[in-house]
Amino acid sequence: GEDLGDELVFFRRGEGTTVEVPIVMYHLVTTNGSLIGRYGISPSDLEHDLKYLKENGYKTIGMSDLTAFVYKGRALPEKCVMLTFDDGNSGDYFFLYPLLKKYDAKAVLSIMGKQTDQFTADAEKYPGGKFPNLTWPQIREMLKDGRVEIQSHGYDVHKPGGSGRRGGETAQAYRERFKKDIQQLQTRCKEELGCAPDTFTYPLGIMSDGSREVLESLGFKATLSCTEGMNYITQGDPDGLFKLKRDIRPSGRTIEQVLARMVRKKR
């Protein structure tokens, strides 16, 4: 079967192969000029990025490609890059998705469960309306051709303090609250998409003691941080999939500049 084949590939290669994996962090793709800046870029900026990557031999990968490399020894493209989009903004559907098809690329989308539920309900009440976040039907459509991968930004932890422990909260209370929130989105994804994320993207990059243990208990294999720098991923080393680094791509700094900066900042 496929799994056996993967394991055979792993053992033929042997453990220890290490690759560089640059991860680029995006948030909002928008035509609203007032929102363009550190966290927002225009569709033309995004198209520039995808065109540059394709013309320069880069292959975009998802988290599933990384976990398969670590756990099963599946090869990664020689010149790979990951594009991550946080928050599940509607621009992921209206602007990103068509460009992924045009340039034969992949992207990782980290969605927020409460907002997805809320705007799905709003869209059902007001067909044809425009909403700031993705809806479940839009996500299902994007998942069909494999260009988009859905990961977790929590159900309702994207707020001040993120998924960190609150002041005065005991360690046990924190773990229970955090676990309940993350499980809620896992359940909703299974209900709506038939599958659940295995990567958690820390809102605001905030984490606390115990957060990784909670995530691992729920079956998560990786986490994405907001720390900048190059990633070094080694076959057979699952620990390297946690707190993955990402460099933000703001308006005014092209993807070639972002990638060059990562290379200069190598450990």
Side-chain angles (χ1 to χ4, degrees):
E2 184 183 348
D3 287 341
L4 177 61
D6 289 337
E7 294 304 323
L8 289 174
V9 169
F10 183 91
F11 289 114
R12 277 203 298 271
R13 283 205 190 95
E15 297 186 22
T17 301
T18 300
V19 295
E20 289 184 0
V21 181
I23 303 180
V24 183
M25 175 170 53
Y26 298 82
H27 289 83
L28 180 64
V29 185
T30 180
T31 54
N32 183 339
S34 67
L35 298 177
I36 290 174
R38 179 166 174 78
Y39 297 106
I41 65 168
S42 68
S44 60
D45 280 344
L46 178 60
E47 181 159 18
H48 165 91
D49 292 359
L50 294 171
K51 187 169 184 284
Y52 172 84
L53 293 174
K54 186 166 188 178
E55 290 178 349
N56 287 274
Y58 284 93
K59 297 292 183 184
T60 51
I61 63 170
M63 283 303 305
S64 59
D65 297 307
L66 265 195
T67 55
F69 171 78
V70 169
Y71 282 96
K72 298 180 178 180
R74 283 190 194 166
L76 286 172
E78 189 173 337
K79 204 174 179 182
C80 64
V81 62
M82 188 183 298
L83 308 179
T84 65
F85 290 76
D86 290 5
D87 305 336
N89 293 295
S90 61
D92 296 348
Y93 177 77
F94 292 107
F95 304 122
L96 171 63
Y97 183 47
L99 288 171
L100 292 176
K101 290 190 280 189
K102 181 176 179 179
Y103 291 97
D104 189 24
K106 290 183 183 180
V108 176
L109 276 54
S110 297
I111 63 169
M112 302 182 290
K114 184 177 181 179
Q115 286 80 354
T116 308
D117 279 345
Q118 175 189 333
F119 290 110
T120 299
D122 289 346
E124 288 170 357
K125 286 182 189 174
Y126 308 104
K130 289 192 174 181
F131 304 95
N133 284 77
L134 295 171
T135 64
W136 291 115
Q138 289 171 339
I139 293 170
R140 284 194 292 271
E141 181 184 340
M142 289 191 290
L143 280 175
K144 281 181 184 176
D145 64 4
R147 298 192 185 282
V148 162
E149 188 179 85
I150 299 301
Q151 300 295 356
S152 174
H153 220 16
Y155 190 82
D156 189 27
V157 287
H158 201 302
K159 52 183 67 173
S163 53
R165 185 173 162 185
R166 295 170 181 164
E169 189 174 38
T170 66
Q172 182 62 26
Y174 163 68
R175 287 184 173 89
E176 289 174 1
R177 175 179 60 81
F178 183 51
K179 185 172 185 176
K180 183 179 179 182
D181 185 282
I182 304 310
Q183 182 61 65
Q184 191 170 357
L185 179 54
Q186 296 299 91
T187 299
R188 292 296 293 125
C189 283
K190 287 176 184 173
E191 291 169 350
E192 297 287 348
L193 310 176
C195 58
D198 66 2
T199 298
F200 181 69
T201 303
Y202 284 104
L204 312 173
I206 299 171
M207 58 194 81
S208 291
D209 289 344
S211 60
R212 174 171 169 174
E213 288 77 11
V214 167
L215 292 166
E216 288 186 295
S217 76
L218 294 173
F220 283 80
K221 294 180 177 178
T223 57
L224 292 166
S225 76
C226 292
T227 302
E228 297 197 327
M230 184 67 76
N231 296 286
Y232 300 89
I233 311 298
T234 303
Q235 285 179 346
D237 179 19
D239 190 60
L241 292 169
F242 286 83
K243 293 196 285 189
L244 291 166
K245 297 175 181 178
R246 302 185 292 165
D247 275 40
I248 194 167
R249 195 293 198 198
S251 178
R253 188 192 302 161
T254 62
I255 197 166
E256 51 263 52
Q257 291 171 325
V258 171
L259 292 171
R261 189 164 172 255
M262 268 190 240
V263 171
R264 285 198 304 272
K265 286 166 61 180
K266 283 184 183 180
R267 57 185 176 187

